[in-house]
Amino acid sequence: ATRVGRGVRDKLGPTRSGGMATEPSTRWVPSEPMATSDATQSGDGAQQGGNGEGGNGGTSPDDVVGLKEIRFGEVKHDLPDEETCRTVLQKMLLIRRFEERAGEMYAKAKIGGFLHLCIGEEATIVGATQALRDTDYLMSTYREHGQALARGTHPNAVMAELFGRVDGCSAGRGGSMHLFDWDKRFLGGYGIVGGSLPLSAGVALAADYQGSEDVILSMMGDGATNQGTFGETMNLAALWKLPVVFVIINNQFGMGTALHRHSAVTDLS
């Protein structure tokens, strides 16, 4: 953590108070909320909202409050404040150190069953969950240690679950692939590839039916896109306009098979 902090500080340079320079006025980053392709695409039909295919009801980039178009599908705004940057970095480092120790314990046969680490996916996990409100829901795959930690589940409770202890977040009954924390509205990881997708749509339907403003963030791997539940869930979510956000964490392999060997479409964005 110290080395990472020094590296960032050396790159950005110190501030007058000796802290990290996290708010340079001329630096921009693409970030959320992202303008949709319809809102940023130029050409007939993109902003007509009429008969053109891909129309978005006449919405233009200027209609999206606080956004300024820079090129297709991207927006720019100031970097987050220093406190937010530190929070994001701390969460990513926590996930990385946690996974390293979990892998060490697994190698020593201290942890039974399966163990799927999310090393290398920390930025995606933290960045996505950072946008959630306390009342929003989160579902993930069986590679979900990072999601539980990012959502706020105590590391001790997550590690205890890996060891099958009763003080684990799932009372020792779920293990690595089935973490759960209702207080944080983390509705678990699922051992079946794509198994959480229809459940995510169900949670979104319940939120919509109850008239709440709750949203569910549903994370999946690239392998889930080949499951039948993927197409069915996407269809219902679009048809019923459900409050669900799907994020594909594409690590280029589905159960050990390279993406280009198991999917005719390699751009899953």
Side-chain angles (χ1 to χ4, degrees):
T2 303
R3 290 197 300 271
V4 171
R6 289 174 178 171
V8 174
R9 185 166 57 250
D10 293 341
K11 183 177 180 180
L12 297 179
T15 61
R16 293 180 181 177
S17 60
M20 191 182 303
T22 57
E23 300 182 18
S25 59
T26 58
R27 293 176 63 86
W28 302 91
V29 291
S31 183
E32 63 85 28
M34 296 293 289
T36 63
S37 58
D38 286 338
T40 56
Q41 183 179 356
S42 60
D44 294 340
Q47 298 176 8
Q48 299 299 322
N51 298 326
E53 293 183 1
N56 62 347
T59 302
S60 68
D62 293 335
D63 295 328
V64 184
V65 178
L67 305 184
K68 181 177 179 181
E69 183 181 10
I70 51 178
R71 57 181 181 269
F72 180 81
E74 294 186 5
V75 296
K76 66 178 184 179
H77 58 66
D78 289 316
L79 285 168
D81 57 81
E82 181 174 345
E83 181 179 357
T84 300
C85 290
R86 290 183 181 276
T87 299
V88 169
L89 179 59
Q90 288 171 355
K91 286 185 176 182
M92 290 193 295
L93 289 174
L94 170 62
I95 295 172
R96 174 60 65 92
R97 298 296 176 253
F98 182 95
E99 295 291 65
E100 289 175 345
R101 181 54 60 90
E104 179 184 343
M105 293 297 101
Y106 187 77
K108 293 180 178 180
K110 301 293 185 180
I111 297 176
F114 292 98
L115 186 77
H116 302 89
L117 305 179
C118 64
I119 291 177
E121 300 177 0
E122 298 90 348
T124 303
I125 294 169
V126 175
T129 56
Q130 193 73 10
L132 295 176
R133 299 164 297 186
D134 292 340
T135 58
D136 292 331
Y137 298 93
L138 174 65
M139 278 191 180
S140 185
T141 67
Y142 50 71
R143 196 184 306 275
E144 87 285 30
H145 305 162
Q147 280 83 350
L149 296 173
R151 197 64 174 127
T153 304
H154 199 285
N156 291 351
V158 179
M159 187 64 78
E161 186 61 35
L162 302 188
F163 278 79
R165 291 172 38 159
V166 69
D167 54 343
C169 58
S170 298
R173 299 176 182 271
S176 171
M177 296 192 292
H178 300 283
L179 305 178
F180 184 90
D181 190 343
W182 173 251
D183 291 338
K184 303 298 182 181
R185 296 214 169 185
F186 177 52
L187 303 184
Y190 288 83
I192 299 176
V193 176
S196 63
L197 301 183
L199 299 178
S200 299
V203 173
L205 178 61
D208 182 63
Y209 188 80
Q210 294 172 354
S212 72
E213 295 184 353
D214 300 337
V215 175
I216 179 168
L217 173 63
S218 182
M219 293 184 167
M220 73 191 87
D222 51 285
T225 61
N226 290 330
Q227 300 298 313
T229 54
F230 175 79
E232 295 170 4
T233 303
M234 298 302 120
N235 178 63
L236 285 181
L239 179 64
W240 293 339
K241 297 179 174 58
L242 299 179
V244 55
V245 177
F246 294 100
V247 173
I248 300 175
I249 303 179
N250 183 5
N251 62 7
Q252 304 296 313
F253 284 88
M255 298 299 291
T257 303
L259 176 63
H260 70 277
R261 297 185 63 185
H262 73 74
S263 178
V265 177
T266 56
D267 182 3
L268 303 180
S269 59

